[in-house]
Amino acid sequence: MEEKERKEKFLTDSGIEIRRVYPKLNVEEEQPGDFPYTRGVQSTMYRSRFWTMRQYAGFSTAEESNKRYHYLLNNGTTGLSVAFDLPTQIGYDSSHEFADGEVGKAGVAIDSLRDIEILFDGIKLENITTSMTINSTASILLSMYIALAKKQGADLKKISGTIQNDILKEYAARGTYIYPPKPSMRIITDIFAYCSKEVPKWNTISISGYHIREAGSTAVQELAFTLANGKAYLKAAIDAGLDINVFAKRLSFFFNAHNNLFEEVAKFRAARRMWARITKDLGATDPKAQMLRFHTQTGGSTLTAQQPHNNIIRVTTQALSAVLGGTQSLHTNGFDEAIALPTEEAARIALRTQQIIAYESGAADTVDPLAGSYFVEALTNEVEEAAWDYIRKIDAMGGSVSAIEQGYLQNEIAASSYKYQKDIQTGEKIIVGVNKFTVEESPLKDIFTVDDTIRQLQIDKINKVKAERDNEKVKEILSKLDSSARADINLMPVILEAAESYATLGEIADTMRNVFGEYTG
């Protein structure tokens, strides 16, 4: 007699039914490194080199963040990932009235090239890769980074890293946009064109599903909406006259790793296969232009303030899904991040989680270790088909930009978020320590906080920079930026000029605001 099962029906977070037993599948014979790259974009994967172990960090002033970067590098981090505060993300100097109360809180405050010089003091940009989570002001922050590389005497052909630069997901899920979609897409294609010639190893966009997932989407929606946005960027660049076989090599992706281990692995595998077909259909013939390379961050929204040490186990499971799914780089969240910025101890445990998976678990010793699993192969197919259904709907609307303007992506994400929270409240979904296995607990004692007085420190630095720079030269360059924005001229060279002259981030962003206006949704 069969035992009664725990549920009548088992579903993934995307609503895909999970069968009790999976039959044998006729899996298409495919080798890692071969089109369509389901099993990985390199033939050897982690047997040759581990993924880049990044830790996302940035808070307070550039001086304080620089100390954390040296701490992480000394503990084995192999790439830096910079978090910027909200004023920096939306193009306001720390002295702006809108910045009050937000300076240095969600990330590091950057007001001018001087802050970038301090942020990377003692760090050779040629020797590391840097990921910058920045979108509407990506052109400005990248220009400041290039300006510092030039001051260090670095070979710009060798510096490497990534800017997120994904404005479409800002309209759909996150909200740190400045300009309307059309000029925003122009700035992005300007970055593509400039970097392909001047900084060829730089990844010019990290098309982000992470924030779509954090806003409440399912795994399938994260995959579908991210790749649909990717198609929009490809088409915009092609329309601007760029060669897909050149610029597509420098596109990368940024995915979330959530709690359902097998669905996440299937999502990553399906993503590579789908992107290979999308790029090929749009004319890519170079294999490197067809490969989906991605960074993963464990799910911030899955972290709980209740029993926060449980988050260490959640992060481990999520990180393992990213490794089993073939990520190129990975950030693991600190266990205390539902409460505050991570302490040094939490950041170290998060990094050690990656190192233990790499060096002790055996998960990195063979390529695509779950390949051939009836469950994983079937789930990869089902996730892919469900994602294609969404993409077909978006294409019928005229693509991602049109679908966002019609509110389609936003509404789909909101509906999924509502259902997820409702399932937690009803107990349909169990979150350990939240709606089951709860205990009386004391709050964490060791909490990292940012002092509100740092805003004045930043204002003092801005005033000092303005007193020491050539203000006439700055005025002249900003005027040139204004006229370039009104013409059909690539904006990156003049933004770089402005950064090198110590124009502030707010001055540069405002110059473009005056031309392009602001998007209000």
Side-chain angles (χ1 to χ4, degrees):
M1 182 178 174
E2 288 187 351
E3 288 190 50
K4 188 174 185 227
E5 296 187 343
R6 289 182 287 113
K7 299 179 183 179
E8 288 185 15
K9 188 182 285 189
F10 288 78
L11 303 172
T12 71
D13 289 341
S14 298
I16 296 170
E17 186 169 358
I18 303 170
R19 286 165 264 173
R20 184 186 307 176
V21 176
Y22 282 77
K24 183 177 180 180
L25 291 178
N26 291 320
V27 180
E28 187 176 336
E29 188 65 31
E30 182 190 319
Q31 293 303 311
D34 290 346
F35 184 91
Y37 314 109
T38 314
R39 302 196 60 194
V41 292
Q42 290 105 16
S43 61
T44 53
M45 288 299 289
Y46 308 135
R47 286 168 66 97
S48 296
R49 185 174 65 184
F50 289 128
W51 60 93
T52 301
M53 298 179 195
R54 297 189 186 280
Q55 286 306 108
Y56 186 48
F59 56 87
S60 188
T61 61
E63 290 87 347
E64 291 301 312
S65 291
N66 176 262
K67 292 175 188 175
R68 176 65 65 90
Y69 291 164
H70 281 285
Y71 172 83
L72 290 170
L73 291 167
N74 289 338
N75 274 275
T77 289
T78 54
L80 296 176
S81 188
V82 185
F84 298 97
D85 72 359
L86 284 174
T88 303
Q89 292 181 48
I90 53 178
Y92 292 117
D93 289 334
S94 298
S95 54
H96 196 284
E97 60 179 335
F98 291 169
D100 192 15
E102 291 292 345
V103 176
K105 293 293 178 68
V108 63
I110 299 295
D111 291 305
S112 74
L113 175 57
R114 182 64 191 132
D115 286 317
I116 291 290
E117 291 167 351
I118 296 166
L119 187 66
F120 292 101
D121 185 40
I123 300 170
K124 284 287 186 185
L125 301 190
E126 259 192 41
N127 298 338
I128 59 162
T129 65
T130 302
S131 174
M132 296 192 281
T133 304
I134 197 71
N135 296 284
S136 57
T137 53
S139 60
I140 304 171
L141 272 300
L142 176 58
S143 293
M144 290 179 180
Y145 192 88
I146 293 170
L148 175 59
K150 289 171 69 176
K151 289 190 77 168
Q152 287 185 355
D155 181 351
L156 297 186
K157 299 290 192 288
K158 292 181 180 177
I159 69 164
S160 63
T162 304
I163 44 171
Q164 192 164 102
N165 199 26
D166 175 8
I167 204 65
L168 292 180
K169 70 94 176 49
E170 295 296 326
Y171 301 125
R174 191 161 174 264
T176 62
Y177 45 73
I178 302 174
Y179 317 112
K182 190 172 180 182
S184 292
M185 294 294 277
R186 174 208 169 165
I187 294 169
I188 288 167
T189 55
D190 282 354
I191 293 170
F192 289 173
Y194 177 83
C195 289
S196 67
K197 295 177 182 176
E198 304 297 331
V199 199
K201 290 184 71 177
W202 195 269
N203 297 318
T204 49
I205 192 168
S206 178
I207 304 159
S208 176
Y210 185 84
H211 301 99
I212 291 171
R213 193 65 174 279
E214 290 292 284
S217 81
T218 65
V220 165
Q221 288 170 337
E222 177 194 358
L223 174 58
F225 298 166
T226 305
L227 296 190
N229 288 347
K231 277 185 74 174
Y233 292 123
L234 289 177
K235 288 181 176 179
I238 291 167
D239 289 346
L242 303 182
D243 182 351
I244 191 171
N245 283 312
V246 176
F247 74 81
K249 293 178 186 177
R250 303 320 313 171
L251 271 58
S252 66
F253 287 79
F254 175 23
F255 287 117
N256 196 301
H258 223 263
N259 283 332
N260 191 313
L261 185 144
F262 293 106
E263 184 174 43
E264 294 302 293
V265 173
K267 178 187 75 181
F268 299 134
R269 299 175 86 246
R272 280 191 293 271
R273 191 156 72 200
M274 293 173 73
W275 186 245
R277 288 168 179 157
I278 287 168
T279 51
K280 186 176 181 180
D281 287 348
L282 288 173
T285 53
D286 188 320
K288 290 191 179 298
Q290 300 168 341
M291 292 178 182
L292 181 145
R293 297 160 297 113
F294 67 101
H295 170 69
T296 309
Q297 181 173 338
T298 56
S301 62
T302 69
L303 302 177
T304 63
Q306 302 93 326
Q307 300 179 40
H309 288 95
N310 292 348
N311 294 326
I312 297 172
I313 295 93
R314 291 187 180 100
V315 168
T316 302
T317 303
Q318 294 164 7
L320 184 60
S321 77
V323 171
L324 294 173
T327 194
Q328 275 62 65
S329 75
L330 177 61
H331 163 82
T332 33
N333 290 327
F335 69 85
D336 53 1
E337 287 190 62
I339 301 161
L341 291 167
T343 60
E344 285 195 353
E345 179 194 25
R348 184 174 64 250
I349 291 170
L351 178 58
R352 294 290 181 258
T353 300
Q354 294 198 50
Q355 292 165 335
I356 289 167
I357 291 172
Y359 292 97
E360 298 184 27
S361 75
D365 293 349
T366 189
V367 181
D368 194 17
L370 295 182
S373 156
Y374 303 151
F375 177 35
V376 171
E377 294 291 357
L379 193 53
T380 300
N381 293 341
E382 289 176 288
V383 166
E384 178 182 5
E385 188 48 44
W388 280 126
D389 284 344
Y390 269 115
I391 290 176
R392 284 189 281 267
K393 289 176 187 174
I394 292 166
D395 285 346
M397 293 178 189
S400 272
V401 175
S402 179
I404 289 166
E405 289 173 343
Q406 294 175 48
Y408 175 70
L409 272 63
Q410 299 92 312
N411 291 338
E412 289 293 309
I413 294 167
S416 294
S417 178
Y418 175 78
K419 183 182 183 305
Y420 187 84
Q421 293 304 319
K422 186 180 177 184
D423 287 349
I424 292 171
Q425 288 175 3
T426 61
E428 180 70 23
K429 177 170 285 296
I430 300 301
I431 305 296
V432 173
V434 175
N435 62 355
K436 198 166 186 176
F437 312 113
T438 58
V439 295
E440 290 292 324
E441 55 187 319
S442 301
L444 280 179
K445 293 179 181 177
D446 189 11
I447 297 295
F448 188 90
T449 56
V450 175
D451 192 336
D452 278 328
T453 61
I454 67 141
R455 182 177 183 230
Q456 189 56 53
L457 294 176
Q458 286 300 115
I459 291 171
D460 291 343
K461 276 198 283 185
I462 291 170
N463 291 337
K464 190 170 188 293
V465 163
K466 288 182 176 179
E468 293 175 351
R469 71 187 186 183
D470 183 340
N471 284 296
E472 282 303 311
K473 182 180 179 183
V474 170
K475 187 177 177 182
E476 180 185 321
I477 293 170
L478 292 177
S479 176
K480 181 179 174 184
L481 175 59
D482 180 284
S483 59
S484 296
R486 296 177 193 279
D488 186 19
I489 296 171
N490 191 307
L491 297 177
M492 277 300 291
V494 69
I495 293 172
L496 177 58
E497 273 189 77
E500 289 178 315
S501 72
Y502 291 87
T504 68
L505 174 130
E507 289 172 331
I508 298 169
D510 280 347
T511 300
M512 291 190 283
R513 263 192 190 93
N514 291 336
V515 178
F516 301 138
E518 290 188 277
Y519 184 69
T520 55

